[in-house]
Amino acid sequence: MTSALNTYLNRLTIALSTATAPEADPTTDAVLPDRGISGSAQSVGDIPELSYLSGAREDHLGVAVCTIDGEITSAGTDHAFPVQSISKAFAYGAAIDLHGMDYVDSVVDEEPTGEEFNALSIDRHSKKPKNPLVNIGAIRTHAMLGPTQEERTQRLRDVLDAAAGRPLELHQETREEEMTIADRNLALAYMLRAAGSMTEDAADVVAGYIEGCAVLTTVTDLSVMAATLASGGTNPLTGEKVFSRVAARQVLSVMLTCGMYDNAGDWVSDVGLPAKSGVGGGIIAALPSRFGIASYAPQLDLHGNSVRGTYFFERLSEDFALHMLDGAVPRDLEECARELMEVGTHP
């Protein structure tokens, strides 16, 4: 039997699609209730050339919710795509559990930048990157994951697998292409070395960082990874303790203020959940102690965030009152979806 939440997600993905599905019935498949979509339902962005290497298409749109009890509800495509910058959050958690919060904080700050994801965000006094979710901070964080490139890369791959609850495949084409266009990331790594903030080999660190970004995930995988953070670090499917509770809390804290780059302020106002985006088209978000949510749609806005993914989260947050600062007690998703269904749809 189809749940009310599943029906809600199916209808919302149809409403956000760039083209009307030929089998859609406008009387039953329209988005609900009667407030329409936040923003335009059309794709107002481009798919990066890099995303086409893993098969991204204009009509790709997928969403998923995973509760901390391991119940997954999804709709749309489950196409596999590179995790890209979403891996930064998991590398940060791994570094905290490896070295402790005090040490990691002494190397990488936790402040929003208001700048683009690939900006030179390094404090001129402390020589620390501003936060671990912009490229320069993620490169420095990756360097903390072990003394050699092999060990660093393996630790990150292990953490991503553990958070997803299954072995994740590396997309070699994406990794190889990103290595050919890695000049800016290499420049950021050499700036860290020049500032005395990093002693590891710049090329090795960037190569490992890029490999972590080229790992393939589905929107279902990402919802489980987000739920792992929401549950305090324990994977809801496998029961494996991926992160300590301190690390999971810190990752979510920085995701809330820095995870959506130079659109973080609008995101907190409109959605109100800790989140992290990737240029592969994915977004994860988490409501602590409740569930993880993920979306995938490859068209990006000027901030490097998924256009339709952002619209999805805005609408979901509004309909289910998920904003962390709303002052409302979080409701059961299925119960709330059922009530939304009773409001009715409109052609």
Side-chain angles (χ1 to χ4, degrees):
M1 182 177 179
T2 302
S3 70
L5 179 60
N6 185 254
T7 301
Y8 171 90
L9 293 178
N10 274 310
R11 293 182 177 181
L12 187 50
T13 55
I14 289 172
L16 286 168
S17 294
T18 55
T20 303
E23 69 277 9
D25 181 346
T27 63
T28 59
D29 290 334
V31 67
L32 57 95
D34 296 323
R35 292 192 297 276
I37 297 292
S38 300
S40 167
Q42 300 302 310
S43 158
V44 192
D46 296 321
I47 299 177
E49 289 297 320
L50 196 65
S51 293
Y52 287 115
L53 294 178
S54 56
R57 299 200 317 248
E58 295 282 344
D59 62 338
H60 275 161
L61 174 63
V63 299
V65 179
C66 178
T67 69
I68 63 169
D69 296 323
E71 183 177 349
I72 299 173
T73 307
S74 62
T77 182
D78 216 29
H79 169 75
F81 58 95
V83 65
Q84 294 292 0
S85 290
I86 295 172
S87 66
K88 296 173 180 176
F90 296 87
Y92 184 47
I96 292 170
D97 279 338
L98 183 62
H99 296 287
M101 189 63 239
D102 289 345
Y103 176 77
V104 173
D105 191 51
S106 74
V107 177
V108 179
D109 215 332
E110 51 191 10
E111 297 301 323
T113 68
E115 299 168 333
E116 295 180 352
F117 64 90
N118 59 359
L120 181 59
S121 297
I122 188 168
D123 187 272
R124 61 176 180 170
H125 300 297
S126 69
K127 310 302 181 186
K128 295 194 294 185
K130 296 292 182 63
N131 69 66
L133 301 185
V134 290
N135 286 14
I136 192 168
I139 290 167
R140 184 62 188 93
T141 300
H142 187 83
M144 283 188 263
L145 297 183
T148 66
Q149 178 184 350
E150 181 180 2
E151 187 173 340
R152 291 189 291 266
T153 304
Q154 190 60 55
R155 177 168 278 113
L156 178 55
R157 292 289 301 276
D158 288 346
V159 165
L160 293 174
D161 289 353
R166 71 177 186 93
L168 299 174
E169 181 185 350
L170 174 66
H171 193 252
Q172 292 286 2
E173 258 193 293
T174 295
R175 184 188 68 81
E176 290 166 9
E177 179 62 21
E178 288 211 68
M179 286 301 298
T180 68
I181 55 174
D183 290 351
R184 188 173 183 90
N185 283 331
L186 285 167
L188 295 175
Y190 281 114
M191 285 298 299
L192 287 167
R193 282 176 56 86
S197 180
M198 187 176 81
T199 59
E200 291 80 3
D201 181 85
D204 284 352
V205 172
V206 169
Y209 161 72
I210 285 175
E211 179 165 327
C213 291
V215 168
L216 291 174
T217 53
T218 67
V219 73
T220 303
D221 292 327
L222 290 182
S223 72
V224 175
M225 295 165 77
T228 296
L229 293 172
S231 70
T234 299
N235 184 298
L237 301 186
T238 66
E240 181 178 354
K241 189 69 174 174
V242 182
F243 298 119
S244 67
R245 189 165 291 277
V246 169
R249 182 187 66 200
Q250 180 65 15
V251 170
L252 289 176
S253 298
V254 176
M255 282 171 55
L256 181 64
T257 56
C258 309
M260 302 300 282
Y261 302 125
D262 49 335
N263 196 47
D266 285 341
W267 179 274
V268 171
S269 296
D270 297 337
V271 179
L273 293 172
K276 183 72 196 79
S277 63
V279 295
I283 300 176
I284 64 169
L287 184 61
S289 78
R290 295 292 307 283
F291 45 76
I293 316 167
S295 68
Y296 163 63
Q299 299 90 344
L300 305 182
D301 61 22
L302 294 177
H303 306 286
N305 301 326
S306 171
V307 175
R308 288 180 293 160
T310 299
Y311 293 152
F312 163 73
F313 275 102
E314 288 175 352
R315 181 57 190 266
L316 192 75
S317 179
E318 180 182 6
D319 282 352
F320 289 84
L322 300 182
H323 200 297
M324 291 176 62
L325 305 181
D326 235 356
V329 177
R331 298 185 56 201
D332 178 79
L333 291 175
E334 183 65 17
E335 178 185 336
C336 190
R338 195 176 302 113
E339 289 183 9
L340 288 166
M341 299 295 294
E342 290 171 358
V343 172
T345 61
H346 58 85

